[in-house]
Amino acid sequence: LVRSLLKLGDVDPGFEPRGTIAALVDLDGQRFDSDDKIRLYYQQVLDKLEGLPGVASAGASSALPMDPMGINYDLPYRVVGQEDLAPHELPSADFRVVSPGYFETMRVPIARGRSFTEYDTPDAPFVVLVNQSMADLVWPNADPIGERLETPSVDWTWFEVVGVVGDTRYYGLGSESRPEIYVAHAQVPRNYMSIAIRTEGDPAALTSTIRSEVLEHDGAQPAHTVVPMEDLVADSIAAERFYAMVLAVFACVALVLSAVGVYGVLSYWVNQRTHEIGIRIALGADRTSVVAFVIRRGMGLAVLGAGVGLVGAFGATRVLDSVLFNIEATDPVTFVGVAGLLLSTALFACWLPAHRASRMDPVGALRE
């Protein structure tokens, strides 16, 4: 579990969470009852936030990566050549609404084509971006730029693909990337959006400033759950981190009990063999041979116990398959490493009574 957690920490999420802060805004549907009002609000708020000292850029999305508060749409889509398929027969993809500047703020790479701009308005041709996974799935041997697709988001309106973005692990570091469709907020407005702000310093220091600026723009529309993106990424592996921590605590307790047990048994055994060891020393046995004699006895039992433990662990660890990431339950590095650690602990526990036995006074031992 510890190795699995370390592997999760090395996963590339597809965006840069450091230096980015997230804020959720949910517009009142009665006050913002038209697409024009929704567009104007988010455009003004994003411009206002980008003008703050310490803010490099800002963008909005209907769902930020690894944010449990975001709304994730799974919508069917149709490409050219699938006009005869019914909606329930069509493939589906994650559908997200984003503003210009979102990909730049999150540092999601544009692999091909272009990103959204302020010219992607309701009066302009409807455009869409897809992620690399969808491009490879739908157009594996062709350039997706210029291709067309439609979704039920705007009454099955045809969108032209103008760009391909990198894959993002939206559902956590341990999740696989899914096909994704991105549309411009100005063309498909949503009142429920998460704002991403890239800062030039510590993002946590701007939390209160962002809240106050959003409220100042409209006192009835506060920003909810203003948190650094790094916290959202860390929370996405909270369960894995908890499992690893709990079992690591039990493992440490088991290791201490093993060492104390081996030490206690060997100490008792050495005391029971006091006369024999004294006679060996009196007859000329050197300290090295006495230490080797005791360690041989203890390590023989330790090796036997490690062998039994490895056999038991080989079967028992299979129950961890569901919580491991990029690592097998029978990972040889883990098995060898843990067995080596236990045997090293046993060796140290054997050495202490062996060292004491080698310093025994043979005359005193014989008197007893």
Side-chain angles (χ1 to χ4, degrees):
L1 278 169
V2 170
R3 293 197 66 216
S4 178
L5 186 64
L6 293 175
K7 285 180 175 289
L8 269 175
D10 292 336
V11 169
D12 179 11
F15 63 96
E16 179 52 73
R18 287 176 295 184
T20 310
I21 193 167
L24 176 65
V25 176
D26 185 11
L27 299 183
D28 181 4
Q30 293 184 342
R31 293 180 57 234
F32 296 88
D33 54 359
S34 69
D35 290 347
D36 289 338
K37 291 180 180 179
I38 295 173
R39 291 189 195 98
L40 182 61
Y41 175 87
Y42 281 108
Q43 181 181 347
Q44 291 178 342
V45 165
L46 290 174
D47 290 342
K48 188 180 184 68
L49 292 175
E50 284 187 330
L52 292 176
V55 173
S57 62
S61 172
S62 55
L64 293 178
M66 305 181 198
D67 185 1
M69 301 298 292
I71 296 180
N72 288 290
Y73 301 92
D74 182 36
L75 294 181
Y77 64 89
R78 179 185 287 120
V79 298
V80 175
Q82 295 178 324
E83 287 85 355
D84 295 334
L85 294 179
H88 67 275
E89 298 175 322
L90 294 172
S92 64
D94 287 350
F95 180 85
R96 311 195 196 286
V97 180
V98 302
S99 71
Y102 167 75
F103 296 112
E104 292 76 12
T105 299
M106 296 295 289
R107 293 187 179 171
V108 177
I110 305 296
R112 198 175 302 168
R114 67 171 178 87
S115 182
F116 294 122
T117 69
E118 65 274 15
Y119 300 108
D120 295 317
T121 63
D123 300 325
F126 277 43
V127 294
V128 66
L129 276 74
V130 299
N131 70 339
Q132 190 65 57
S133 290
M134 182 163 177
D136 294 340
L137 177 66
V138 182
W139 304 282
N141 301 313
D143 185 355
I145 305 302
E147 296 288 347
R148 296 195 307 153
L149 62 84
E150 61 175 354
T151 74
S153 59
V154 192
D155 297 328
W156 295 102
T157 299
W158 286 97
F159 291 78
E160 180 183 348
V161 178
V162 295
V164 179
V165 300
D167 289 339
T168 303
R169 296 178 183 265
Y170 260 85
Y171 301 101
L173 292 176
S175 65
E176 295 296 329
S177 298
R178 285 174 41 84
E180 294 172 347
I181 297 172
Y182 297 92
V183 298
H185 182 264
Q187 295 182 339
V188 189
R190 292 289 187 273
N191 61 347
Y192 188 99
M193 297 287 283
S194 295
I195 299 175
I197 303 102
R198 178 159 296 281
T199 67
E200 297 172 348
D202 180 15
L206 286 175
T207 300
S208 58
T209 302
I210 292 170
R211 290 183 186 275
S212 61
E213 289 294 328
V214 173
L215 274 176
E216 183 178 325
H217 181 73
D218 189 326
Q221 292 297 147
H224 305 282
T225 59
V226 183
V227 294
M229 283 299 300
E230 284 186 287
D231 290 353
L232 294 180
V233 175
D235 290 344
S236 73
I237 58 172
E240 290 83 354
R241 188 165 50 245
F242 174 75
Y243 295 146
M245 181 186 69
V246 169
L247 285 190
V249 169
F250 279 108
C252 290
V253 172
L255 180 63
V256 171
L257 290 176
S258 300
V260 170
V262 172
Y263 176 75
V265 169
L266 285 175
S267 295
Y268 178 77
W269 179 76
V270 169
N271 288 333
Q272 294 295 306
R273 307 290 290 269
T274 299
H275 295 82
E276 178 188 341
I277 294 173
I279 293 172
R280 287 173 181 270
I281 296 176
L283 292 177
D286 57 18
R287 297 184 186 277
T288 303
S289 63
V290 172
V291 171
F293 171 68
V294 177
I295 288 180
R296 214 168 28 243
R297 169 76 177 188
M299 289 306 293
L301 294 173
V303 170
L304 177 62
V308 174
L310 285 172
V311 173
F314 186 83
T317 52
R318 293 184 181 277
V319 301
L320 297 177
D321 273 331
S322 61
V323 293
L324 295 178
F325 175 78
N326 268 4
I327 193 170
E328 298 293 333
T330 54
D331 174 52
V333 175
T334 301
F335 273 59
V336 172
V338 171
L341 177 63
L342 288 170
L343 289 176
S344 299
T345 304
L347 180 61
F348 180 72
C350 292
W351 179 82
L352 290 177
H355 178 69
R356 189 180 64 190
S358 70
R359 302 178 66 84
M360 184 181 299
D361 177 18
V363 177
L366 291 175
R367 280 203 187 101
E368 294 179 3

